[in-house]
């Protein structure tokens, strides 16, 4: 064999090696690109699901806050999970499901007041793990949520919702009490006689010493809207419902209120959806 033939054979072998190397590199690049595309697709889906759940959670929480009296005012939830999603305006995307927990209770003020609530979970269908998808479920016996293989889920803590409403109700009573006290002081200042015996939280003829503009409750708690309070307080509007949408009541007569001797008192009541009420006793300033 001539040297020229040997050189040509060597070039051919080298070319073959180069082609094989190039094929290997191209295959590796294609595999890497495909993997990156698959990873990016999974990440995008997961992010989209989490974003959707966050928005869904916000809508359900707002609905809970606006309808807490309906949701926690009795032993059974008034709606099913699907009904809650529709009422809260959650779009039917990703096959999202809602699970409404059983009613629970906690106590406040050393056990004097009960706070009822229920937890709610939102979850997407279970994804396949090891070839088998396990759906998310709520164990009604133990009231424990089990996410299964759900790729994304979230929880709404009902105690947080009701506690926030409870704090708002307390603040509302405090503000109303402050306005009653300010009204009493203004009536004293406007009375030329400044008679300490006058009860400015009662009208004349109601109790023993009535002399104010608030209507007489005749020994019971009556709706605030029926007691001439806006006029008595010098305001066009006054809250007549508490944060749960329940009617505020007041009482300016015995036996609940002191109307027999200074310092006189008047009472507010803010009913709780599950029974009982928050009560605020307002004491008249002494002259």
């Amino acid at each position: 064999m001539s040297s020229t033939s040997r050189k040509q054979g060597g070039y051919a072998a080298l070319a073959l090696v180069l082609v094989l190397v190039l094929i290997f590199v191209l295959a590796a690049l294609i595999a890497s690109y495909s993997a990156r595309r698959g990873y990016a697709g999974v990440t995008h889906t997961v992010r989209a699901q989490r974003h959707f759940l966050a928005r869904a959670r916000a809508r359900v929480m707002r609905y809970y806050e606006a309808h807490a009296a309906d949701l926690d005012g009795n032993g059974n939830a008034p709606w099913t999970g699907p009904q809650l999603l529709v009422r809260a305006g959650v779009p039917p995307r990703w096959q999202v499901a809602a699970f409404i927990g059983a009613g629970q209770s906690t106590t406040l003020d050393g056990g004097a007041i009960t706070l009822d609530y229920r937890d709610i979970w939102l979850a997407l269908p279970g994804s396949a793990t090891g070839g088998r998808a396990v759906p998310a479920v709520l164990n009604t016996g133990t009231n424990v949520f089990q996410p299964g293989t759900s790729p994304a889920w979230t929880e709404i803590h009902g105690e947080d919702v009701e506690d926030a409403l409870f704090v708002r109700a307390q603040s509302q009573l405090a503000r109303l009490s402050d306005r009653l006290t300010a009204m009493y002081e203004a009536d004293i200042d406007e009375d030329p006689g400044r008679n300490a015996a006058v009860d400015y939280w009662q009208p004349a003829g109601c109790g023993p010493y009535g002399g104010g503009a608030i209507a007489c409750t005749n020994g019971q708690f009556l709706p605030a809207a029926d007691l001439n309070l806006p006029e008595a307080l010098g305001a066009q509007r006054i809250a007549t419902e508490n944060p749960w949408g329940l009617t505020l009541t007041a009482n300016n007569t015995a036996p609940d209120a002191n109307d027999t001797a200074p310092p006189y008192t008047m009472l507010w009541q803010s009913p709780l959806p599950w029974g009982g009420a928050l009560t605020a006793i307002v004491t008249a300033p002494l002259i």
Side-chain angles (χ1 to χ4, degrees), residues 45-243:
T45 299
V46 170
R47 287 179 179 175
Q49 289 174 338
R50 290 177 179 174
H51 181 64
F52 169 76
L53 274 185
R55 290 186 288 117
R57 182 181 187 277
R59 291 191 178 192
V60 173
M61 177 168 279
R62 285 195 298 270
Y63 190 82
Y64 191 153
E65 292 170 346
H67 300 84
D70 296 325
L71 194 58
D72 295 325
N74 53 63
N76 299 318
W79 316 296
T80 64
Q83 289 172 336
L84 176 61
L85 293 176
V86 172
R87 286 174 171 268
V90 176
R93 190 180 179 194
W94 301 111
Q95 294 180 293
V96 62
F99 303 85
I100 304 175
Q104 303 180 69
S105 296
T106 187
T107 56
L108 305 172
D109 295 342
I113 296 177
T114 299
L115 187 78
D116 285 6
Y117 66 95
R118 64 182 77 238
D119 295 326
I120 299 172
W121 294 268
L122 304 178
L124 303 185
S127 56
T129 299
R132 187 170 66 94
V134 180
V137 296
L138 174 63
N139 187 320
T140 56
T142 60
N143 201 37
V144 173
F145 175 71
Q146 299 166 324
T149 57
S150 173
W153 62 277
T154 187
E155 181 179 1
I156 296 165
H157 299 281
E159 185 175 0
D160 293 342
V161 174
E162 289 292 6
D163 188 64
L165 293 172
F166 185 87
V167 171
R168 284 170 51 192
Q170 287 181 311
S171 298
Q172 181 186 50
L173 289 183
R175 291 192 304 271
L176 290 171
S177 299
D178 288 344
R179 292 181 68 179
L180 276 178
T181 302
M183 181 218 78
Y184 202 99
E185 293 173 337
D187 286 350
I188 291 174
D189 292 338
E190 293 174 4
D191 186 349
R194 293 182 62 82
N195 187 349
V198 174
D199 183 353
Y200 294 100
W201 284 333
Q202 287 185 341
C206 178
Y209 309 105
I214 298 175
C216 186
T217 61
N218 295 308
Q220 56 189 321
F221 282 88
L222 296 179
D226 299 339
L227 299 180
N228 197 41
L229 284 168
E231 293 80 0
L233 295 174
Q236 294 299 314
R237 297 182 61 186
I238 183 174
T240 58
E241 294 183 346
N242 65 12

